[in-house]
Amino acid sequence: MTRQPLRVAILEAERILTEAGVASPRTDAELLAAHVLGVARGKLVLVPLVDPSTVDAIGKLVARRAKREPLQHLVGEAHLGPIALAVGPGVFVPRPETELLYEWGVSVLASRAAPVIVDLCTGSGALALALAHARPDAVVHAVDVDPTALAWTRKNAEVRVAAGDTPIRLHAADVTDPDLLVDLEGKVDLLVCNPPYVPEGTEVPTEVSDHDPRHAVFSGADGLDVIRHVVAAAARLLAPGGWVGIEHDDTHGESVPELLATRRVLSEVDDRVDLAGRARFAVARRRDS
């Protein structure tokens, strides 16, 4: 059986994905090849030749990706910060832009010992578990109302505990509940949230419209239905000096800070942008008194 150059298989995969309109065809082609081979993407150069069966396996995954099945579903995982998370049908796939919210959260906790952290709309558990990994001294609470999302979070949490991370505390609860986490009122050092925030009727990529849970993407006519409740929860739960960070749509660069500013207990309201200058998440600090 004649072995074939891996480079040729990747070039063919890139061509197919380009024609299908995939946003990052070369990257996706290499990640799919790395997944089939069981190596890191950066190690592909060390695998010059592959068996025809490997080429066939790559081709099958490429065909699915060309139909806009999410890359993360095909490889079975997504990443946030230093951790990998299992993802698949029924749970929102963490996006690279949430890295900025995670990094900000780690930075504002730098001077706080044994912080209390709350992650609302946790989905796969991405922010909660990444923060628990970064701060093993923290008590981290993760909240979601969707049973399917909670099942994925539990799966990921078990993997992280097995890897040595501090267990998180999982809550099946609705962010719209005015008594949400009532026992934590005034005690939370950091509240983060990557909520549904896309305005209804907005055109989204096929990977989102056909595969992400609709309730984890869209949030009313202006995209702010859930965020309004998150702001209310933050004002109630944060300890003096505690911080809130809320990811939002890039059209919300003024509206979400305005919602935070309406709460008299919150100060230092700001909006943060990504490397492309797009509004990405809003932050605020609970006043000390």
Side-chain angles (χ1 to χ4, degrees):
M1 186 177 293
T2 304
R3 307 190 82 198
Q4 303 176 31
L6 176 61
R7 178 181 61 84
V8 174
I10 290 175
L11 287 172
E12 175 62 8
E14 180 183 11
R15 181 190 67 78
I16 293 169
L17 297 179
T18 299
E19 292 180 354
V22 171
S24 51
R26 179 70 180 199
T27 297
D28 286 22
E30 291 180 352
L31 288 171
L32 290 173
H35 173 68
V36 170
L37 289 165
V39 302
R41 180 186 174 196
K43 300 291 187 181
L44 288 174
V45 294
L46 303 179
V47 189
L49 299 174
V50 291
D51 295 330
S53 60
T54 299
V55 174
D56 182 59
I58 294 171
K60 288 178 179 177
L61 287 179
V62 169
R64 292 170 63 185
R65 184 70 186 101
K67 294 178 180 178
R68 309 305 288 273
E69 190 170 343
L71 173 71
Q72 296 86 350
H73 286 195
L74 297 175
V75 301
E77 66 179 22
H79 292 81
L80 185 67
I83 69 169
L85 301 135
V87 293
V91 71
F92 182 80
V93 173
R95 303 301 199 265
E97 50 265 31
T98 305
E99 293 275 353
L100 299 174
L101 179 56
Y102 159 73
E103 291 170 359
W104 169 84
V106 172
S107 70
V108 299
L109 290 175
S111 62
R112 290 185 177 245
V116 176
I117 302 172
V118 169
D119 175 22
L120 299 180
C121 307
T122 194
S124 64
L127 279 167
L129 293 168
L131 289 166
H133 177 80
R135 290 298 302 266
D137 61 329
V139 177
V140 181
H141 299 263
V143 178
D144 209 292
V145 71
D146 179 24
T148 301
L150 290 170
W152 283 101
T153 305
R154 289 189 187 95
K155 178 179 180 179
N156 285 317
E158 290 170 359
V159 171
R160 295 313 314 165
V161 169
D165 288 355
T166 303
I168 65 172
R169 303 182 184 185
L170 193 57
H171 303 265
D174 191 336
V175 70
T176 67
D177 181 357
D179 294 321
L180 175 70
L181 301 179
V182 65
D183 292 343
L184 294 180
E185 287 189 3
K187 301 177 181 178
V188 175
D189 297 294
L190 174 66
L191 187 151
V192 291
C193 185
N194 180 16
Y197 55 66
V198 178
E200 291 284 354
T202 302
E203 186 175 348
V204 295
T206 303
E207 290 87 343
V208 176
S209 62
D210 289 359
H211 297 280
D212 275 328
R214 182 175 181 82
H215 61 266
V217 176
F218 298 98
S219 187
D222 59 2
L224 296 172
D225 282 5
V226 172
I227 288 178
R228 291 186 178 93
H229 292 285
V230 174
V231 170
R236 182 171 53 83
L237 295 174
L238 288 179
W243 286 91
V244 56
I246 307 171
E247 189 168 325
H248 57 65
D249 190 69
D250 57 14
T251 63
H252 292 156
E254 295 182 2
S255 54
V256 176
E258 286 173 356
L259 286 172
L260 289 166
T262 63
R263 300 286 170 164
R264 292 183 180 180
V265 298
L266 299 179
S267 65
E268 300 182 43
V269 176
D270 191 17
D271 202 71
R272 305 300 174 91
V273 299
D274 60 21
L275 294 177
R278 293 172 299 211
R280 185 54 60 197
F281 65 98
V283 305
R285 181 177 178 272
R286 174 72 187 253
R287 297 183 190 276
D288 291 327
S289 60

